[in-house]
């Protein structure tokens, strides 16, 4: 994988319409606040906005399906009406279907269809692009599932198996995007190994989304009392390195720092071309 002028890495800004996100603690739980934040992220340089109504932080409890819909659909509908490209962060087929009807063009499913047996059929019928993330279980038990022989090979092979299942269910391969699932059933060293060997995931021939933003393994590089926002600069560095490795997009909370890092990378590469 490598970045070219024709395929620059996209910036996906995060809008958590939740009261319990680890990263922003309910700041955008109100629909109007979430919409305003999505608009702000685009003004700051986000290419698309990822709207989610259920926290997937370690130990998080699931929300009821109707509550997830109540949280995300008005936000997606309004952002889409303003011409903003939107993805929906959900594991539920019914939420994905309603979100696409409201204007979402991407279904970002952290379970790659494993959490809801109906998801593959909805993804196939929707026409939306589909992010399949590496996943081994829900947030309340995922830390116990972080055992690998070789994390990169295992993640690659498990994602390849999910791609086969999705294609068999009718999802065109050209609509599938892969996500290594940093922080999901992964210990700190697993995340760094996946990032350092991102090209091995790219060898599957599908776009790769990197979602490292503000996660625990970044926090381990900082003082124990550092606020979560101190993880934004390391996240921006990861964004630039991921772009250099060929990532299709990076999913981030702080768009400004990542956009600047990608601009530096672009200028660096243009200097090489003279």
């Amino acid at each position: 994988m490598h970045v070219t002028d024709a395929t620059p890495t996209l910036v996906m800004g995060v809008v958590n319409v939740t009261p319990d996100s680890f990263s922003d603690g309910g700041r955008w739980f109100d629909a109007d606040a979430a919409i305003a934040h999505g608009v702000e992220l685009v003004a700051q340089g986000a290419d698309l906005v990822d709207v989610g109504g259920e926290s997937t932080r370690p130990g998080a409890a699931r929300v009821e399906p109707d509550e997830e819909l109540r949280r995300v659909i008005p936000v997606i509908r309004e952002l889409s009406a303003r011409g903003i490209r939107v993805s929906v962060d959900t594991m539920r087929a019914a939420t994905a279907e309603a979100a696409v009807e409201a204007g979402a063009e991407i279904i970002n499913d952290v379970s790659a269809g494993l959490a809801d047996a109906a998801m593959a059929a909805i993804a196939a019928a929707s026409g939306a692009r589909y992010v399949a993330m590496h996943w081994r279980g829900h947030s309340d038990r995922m830390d116990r599932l972080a055992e690998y022989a070789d994390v990169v090979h295992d993640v690659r092979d498990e994602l390849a198996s999910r791609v086969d299942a999705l294609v068999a269910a009718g999802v065109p391969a050209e609509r599938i995007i892969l996500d290594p699932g940093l922080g999901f059933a992964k210990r700190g060293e697993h995340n760094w190994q996946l990032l350092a060997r991102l090209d091995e995931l790219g060898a599957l021939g599908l776009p790769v989304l990197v979602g490292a933003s503000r996660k625990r393994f970044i926090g381990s590089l900082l003082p124990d009392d550092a606020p979560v926002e101190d993880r934004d600069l390391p996240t921006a560095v990861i964004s630039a390195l991921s772009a250099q490795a060929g990532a299709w997009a990076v999913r981030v909370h702080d768009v400004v720092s990542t956009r600047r890092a990608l601009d530096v990378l672009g200028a660096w590469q243009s200097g090489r071309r003279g």
Side-chain angles (χ1 to χ4, degrees), residues 11-121:
V11 177
M12 176 185 284
V14 178
V15 175
N16 291 315
V17 195
T18 60
D20 56 347
S21 169
F22 80 93
S23 62
D24 45 35
R27 291 176 66 189
W28 323 116
F29 187 43
D30 175 76
D32 288 340
I35 292 163
H37 185 52
V39 171
E40 179 185 31
L41 291 176
V42 172
Q44 292 172 345
D47 299 290
L48 60 158
V49 173
D50 190 45
V51 179
E54 180 175 37
S55 175
T56 52
R57 62 179 172 79
R62 301 214 66 191
V63 302
E64 293 299 317
D66 288 347
E67 174 63 11
E68 184 184 29
L69 285 167
R70 185 196 69 78
R71 293 176 182 182
V72 302
I73 298 305
V75 178
I76 291 170
R77 183 178 293 116
E78 180 59 27
L79 291 175
S80 298
R82 298 185 185 207
I84 293 172
R85 299 177 63 195
V86 178
S87 66
V88 59
D89 179 359
T90 184
M91 292 181 275
R92 290 192 173 98
T95 302
E97 184 176 35
V100 172
E101 290 175 357
E105 62 179 72
I106 299 172
I107 300 167
N108 183 11
D109 179 3
V110 300
S111 80
L114 291 171
D116 188 335
M119 181 63 90

Side-chain angles (χ1 to χ4, degrees), residues 160-224:
S161 177
R162 291 309 305 149
V163 170
D164 289 344
L166 291 163
V167 171
V171 183
E174 59 269 22
R175 286 207 258 118
I176 299 174
I177 299 157
L178 302 180
D179 182 335
L182 301 175
F184 288 79
K186 315 286 190 309
R187 293 192 293 273
E189 66 270 20
H190 295 147
N191 299 308
W192 293 117
Q193 290 166 28
L194 285 161
L195 286 167
R197 296 162 60 188
L198 207 59
D199 59 319
E200 295 184 41
L201 299 181
L204 292 174
L206 296 173
V208 175
L209 169 66
V210 173
S213 184
R214 295 184 177 177
K215 290 188 174 176
R216 288 181 297 175
F217 75 99
I218 296 176
S220 68
L221 301 175
L222 305 173
D224 291 341

